[in-house]
Amino acid sequence: MGRWFRECADSAEGTERDPFEPIAGTGGFHRIRKREGGACGFLSSANRCRIHEELGARAKPLTCRLFPFSFHAVEDDVAVTASFACPTVVANEGDLIASGKTLDAIKELRTEWFRTYPAPSARLQYVQGRSLSTASLKILRASLLQLLDRQDGLLRMALLLEDLARPRVVRLDDESFAEYLALTAPFAATSDQPMTPRAPSWNARLMRRGFLFLVAATQLQIERQRSAGSSFGMRVRMFRLLAHFHGLAGSVGAFDLRLGRDLAVDLSDPEIQPLVHHYLRSTIQTLGTGVRPVVDELAVAVSSLNAACALAKMKAAAAGSAVDRRVFTEALLEAVDVTHADYGLIARALTFFAAGTESLDAFRAASGPKSEAPEV
């Protein structure tokens, strides 16, 4: 395959080096070498896959063929999720996979994936240490989806999740916890009891900024790969970025917390609302398929939206425009890049800074204008 590999975007096709390199610590798995700018070496000048063009789709590596989908072994089924790092997924476009040739292709990929990467079923947990049955998870998903369609749904969602995470509830035996969830979740989804809005706590605002820092740091790393910058220069930029987030230094690249203070992200905008709703609905529908407990899965997703709102304000302010669909889509794509780290230090940091149910309080305030500027 080396004949279709380009060492640089403007170089001739062909390389004497192996286009694939081993992945450390994986027991023999390899990945495609990237160019200095971070792009796949098999991309043509027209930004198309040369393996696909010359040898057909089946010749591509499995992970390439699978993107943007991922498969997850759960207790009594296999779940498929779609990555929001894909613009088509964010826009909710493309063919449905519920039937026909697309579904057949997904099933074939699923079989090949688990044959190549056998994995045990994920252990369902509500919060760390609190197991969750499949039946309870289905009830929780259904209730959260109902709440998502309510005007005050985010507040009620946060209160429900907090209630289920109280120490005395978490310590219930499995049967009692399942019974408690089965009673409280549907009630919360349909109750008309008035709710008093609440502002995000100091901790929620602090964690929101920490999560945004992780997103910004990830983007700087990606930029470094594209520009082939030095590791020392990257460390300097990271230090400056950290100082900027503490108000001790100026902006770093496109990241300036001072920008967008007078801008708002109108989540009810007819162009933006469908993107947000689609992202949250997809998150709720696939809860229980990740490596984190359910509450942390939802918190990381909501924190990504918080970060997207902040990034969108910066981008719009820098361009002298309002936050529109294009700007918000670009910001969301950047925000979810960091969530692909499902292991190691970054994954633990994401869970920590997501701040559990407090992320929902921060999200309700994320669309605010100047009053929320210091926190973004």
Side-chain angles (χ1 to χ4, degrees):
M1 289 188 181
R3 60 181 293 190
W4 298 299
F5 190 92
R6 290 172 183 256
E7 295 288 354
C8 301
D10 56 354
S11 66
E13 287 186 339
T15 180
E16 296 181 357
R17 295 195 297 162
D18 189 345
F20 302 93
E21 60 184 6
I23 304 174
T26 62
F29 288 108
H30 289 65
R31 63 187 170 198
I32 298 174
R33 281 197 296 109
K34 293 183 178 180
R35 298 170 184 156
E36 289 185 351
C40 173
F42 284 107
L43 283 180
S44 70
S45 57
N47 210 34
R48 297 175 62 85
C49 176
R50 293 291 279 127
I51 300 176
H52 193 136
E53 287 183 335
E54 297 295 333
L55 302 176
R58 285 185 173 274
K60 293 191 296 184
L62 178 57
T63 50
C64 296
R65 284 184 281 133
L66 186 59
F67 184 82
F69 302 109
S70 296
F71 296 116
H72 313 268
V74 293
E75 287 188 353
D76 54 3
D77 202 354
V78 173
V80 58
T81 58
S83 171
F84 274 76
C86 172
T88 301
V89 174
V90 172
N92 198 18
E93 298 174 344
D95 295 333
L96 297 176
I97 63 172
S99 62
K101 293 182 179 180
T102 306
L103 179 60
D104 293 338
I106 289 292
K107 288 181 177 179
E108 183 178 341
L109 284 170
R110 179 186 65 186
T111 300
E112 186 176 354
W113 176 263
F114 284 111
R115 183 171 61 244
T116 307
Y117 302 101
S121 297
R123 180 191 175 197
L124 288 178
Q125 295 187 92
Y126 179 71
V127 292
Q128 193 67 41
R130 171 67 266 173
S131 61
L132 187 69
S133 69
T134 303
S136 293
L137 177 60
K138 290 180 179 178
I139 294 172
L140 182 62
R141 282 176 180 163
S143 299
L144 293 178
L145 288 173
Q146 282 185 268
L147 288 168
L148 183 61
D149 293 329
R150 295 185 56 162
Q151 186 174 2
D152 59 352
L154 290 176
L155 174 59
R156 294 179 182 274
M157 196 180 295
L159 293 174
L160 168 63
L161 296 173
E162 285 177 8
D163 178 64
L164 291 170
R166 285 184 300 151
R168 69 175 185 175
V169 176
V170 168
R171 288 196 296 265
L172 292 172
D173 60 72
D174 292 348
E175 184 178 350
S176 297
F177 181 79
E179 182 181 3
Y180 186 82
L181 186 149
L183 289 171
T184 57
F187 175 79
T190 57
S191 173
D192 292 325
Q193 180 180 351
M195 296 283 104
T196 302
R198 60 184 186 183
S201 68
W202 176 86
N203 180 68
R205 295 194 297 267
L206 180 64
M207 293 298 103
R208 178 183 172 193
R209 180 169 291 197
F211 195 97
L212 180 59
F213 172 78
L214 291 177
V215 170
T218 299
Q219 289 303 311
L220 288 183
Q221 290 281 10
I222 294 174
E223 289 176 13
R224 181 216 166 188
Q225 291 178 349
R226 290 171 178 165
S227 62
S230 68
S231 58
F232 176 76
M234 187 72 253
R235 286 194 292 269
V236 171
R237 296 193 80 194
M238 286 294 183
F239 179 80
R240 285 186 54 208
L241 183 67
L242 185 61
H244 175 62
F245 271 70
H246 283 82
L248 302 176
S251 62
V252 180
F255 300 102
D256 189 345
L257 297 182
R258 297 164 299 184
L259 289 178
R261 289 182 173 181
D262 296 317
L263 290 178
V265 180
D266 184 4
L267 298 181
S268 64
D269 185 296
E271 290 192 345
I272 296 177
Q273 192 274 339
L275 299 178
V276 176
H277 191 271
H278 170 52
Y279 180 73
L280 288 174
R281 175 170 288 276
S282 298
T283 297
I284 293 171
Q285 288 174 330
T286 57
L287 285 176
T289 59
V291 297
R292 302 177 179 88
V294 167
V295 170
D296 290 332
E297 280 185 50
L298 182 59
V300 168
V302 173
S303 292
S304 297
L305 279 176
N306 289 337
C309 287
L311 292 175
K313 289 183 180 183
M314 293 183 208
K315 291 176 179 295
S321 65
V323 177
D324 57 15
R325 181 186 179 90
R326 180 191 62 79
V327 171
F328 188 82
T329 297
E330 182 180 338
L332 182 57
L333 287 168
E334 291 182 4
V336 299
D337 272 342
V338 71
T339 64
H340 289 174
D342 285 337
Y343 54 89
L345 181 60
I346 293 181
R348 292 193 293 272
L350 284 175
T351 300
F352 175 76
F353 284 113
T357 57
E358 289 196 273
S359 61
L360 289 161
D361 294 328
F363 179 60
R364 291 201 318 277
S367 59
K370 192 170 182 179
S371 61
E372 284 298 306
E375 284 69 58
V376 299

